[in-house]
Amino acid sequence: MSDASSHGHSTSPTPDPSPSAPWEATGTDRRAIPQRTTGWAARTADLLHSTGLTPNQVSVGSVIFAAIGALALVLSGTVEHDGARSVWLIMTVVCIPLRLLLNMLDGMLAVEKGMHSPTGDLFNEVPDRVADVLLLAAAGYATRGLWAVDAGLDWGLFFGWSAAVLALMTAYMRTLGAANGVGNFFQGPMAKPRRMWVLVVACLLSLFEPLFGMRGLFLALALVLIAVGAAVTVGMRWWFVSRALERKAAPDAAASSSRTRGPA
């Protein structure tokens, strides 16, 4: 469940996905999401379509859930009572999957229901990036004080913002491939769906932290994992896009060389 099911809410054809090596792929227009083909997803898309909601409105809705989840995360780090903290954490656990669900449904409305629009690219990408930053930075604030050092550096905040910036970079590298004509590359261990589910698991595990008195530990560890995984993802996508661009340029270079030499 997740990534905006169709990048740009477009209906452009998917390039040939069967190259001999990963970096020779031209990329794909849509992330493979198994849930998209399920009956419940189709029925939900039908319901949204019947209400008249547009893909852009659904995309904005995903940010609203992300903002609520982010606020709940921040508040979970400020309350002293374990019961109140659990309520905020559970709210985040509910909001993140809803954010991912709407990310999938906006694309289903755009593609399967033919509701794509000229502004689809903007509403597909920008809300997603805002949602990522809100949730990951908020997770950092939820761990505030856990790994603070005398020099004034709070490692929880550092990894929260690092994870947020690197999440932006994973999307940036993907869209660079599309902008340069080689398609979207989704490779890497910490794409959006995985980093969001890591955050969900960390929130659930955090419910048990009062048993051993280490508040914020699981969220902090999750942010380290997300930041490292996102950095690897950025590197992988850089490599794949670079190789795809080189492959794309090779025929043009060969043709140019042939014209320069002239007939034998």
Side-chain angles (χ1 to χ4, degrees):
M1 187 191 302
S2 61
D3 206 82
S5 164
S6 167
H7 291 280
H9 301 159
S10 70
T11 55
S12 56
T14 301
D16 180 11
S18 56
S20 58
W23 56 80
E24 293 179 342
T26 54
T28 58
D29 288 328
R30 305 180 80 185
R31 183 187 301 279
I33 304 177
Q35 291 86 352
R36 190 188 293 130
T37 60
T38 60
W40 66 263
R43 289 190 294 272
T44 305
D46 288 339
L47 177 62
L48 292 178
H49 184 255
S50 68
T51 65
L53 285 172
T54 67
N56 292 351
Q57 291 169 334
V58 174
S59 296
V60 172
S62 72
V63 180
I64 294 173
F65 279 116
I68 295 171
L71 177 61
L73 267 177
V74 172
L75 292 174
S76 76
T78 62
V79 295
E80 296 295 331
H81 191 273
D82 290 333
R85 180 170 181 262
S86 295
V87 170
W88 293 123
L89 288 171
I90 291 171
M91 185 177 293
T92 302
V93 167
V94 172
C95 285
I96 292 177
L98 288 174
R99 175 243 166 147
L100 295 177
L101 175 62
L102 292 186
N103 286 160
M104 179 180 72
L105 292 172
D106 64 356
M108 291 183 69
L109 286 177
V111 178
E112 278 81 352
K113 301 300 181 183
M115 298 178 68
H116 52 90
S117 70
T119 57
D121 276 328
L122 293 176
F123 279 89
N124 183 67
E125 293 293 341
V126 176
D128 243 1
R129 307 293 73 80
V130 172
D132 275 339
V133 171
L134 285 174
L135 286 165
L136 294 172
Y141 283 97
T143 70
R144 197 168 187 176
L146 177 63
W147 288 353
V149 295
D150 292 337
L153 174 64
D154 190 305
W155 285 105
L157 288 177
F158 173 81
F159 279 106
W161 281 107
S162 296
V165 170
L166 287 164
L168 292 178
M169 288 298 297
T170 63
Y172 181 63
M173 288 307 306
R174 171 181 56 75
T175 55
L176 271 181
N180 283 278
V182 293
N184 291 287
F185 284 82
F186 299 102
Q187 289 90 339
M190 202 57 71
K192 181 186 70 182
R194 287 178 184 154
R195 55 183 178 257
M196 288 297 102
W197 285 114
V198 167
L199 200 54
V200 167
V201 170
C203 288
L204 289 172
L205 291 176
S206 296
L207 297 174
F208 300 96
E209 287 176 341
L211 297 177
F212 50 90
M214 202 60 168
R215 239 170 105 134
L217 176 63
F218 287 112
L219 283 172
L221 292 176
L223 289 172
V224 173
L225 177 62
I226 291 170
V228 173
V232 173
T233 300
V234 171
M236 289 178 65
R237 292 183 182 181
W238 178 294
W239 175 254
F240 292 143
V241 171
S242 298
R243 293 304 300 269
L245 289 172
E246 291 170 356
R247 181 171 178 262
K248 178 183 175 184
D252 293 336
S256 177
S257 176
S258 176
R259 286 194 300 269
T260 301
R261 287 196 303 269

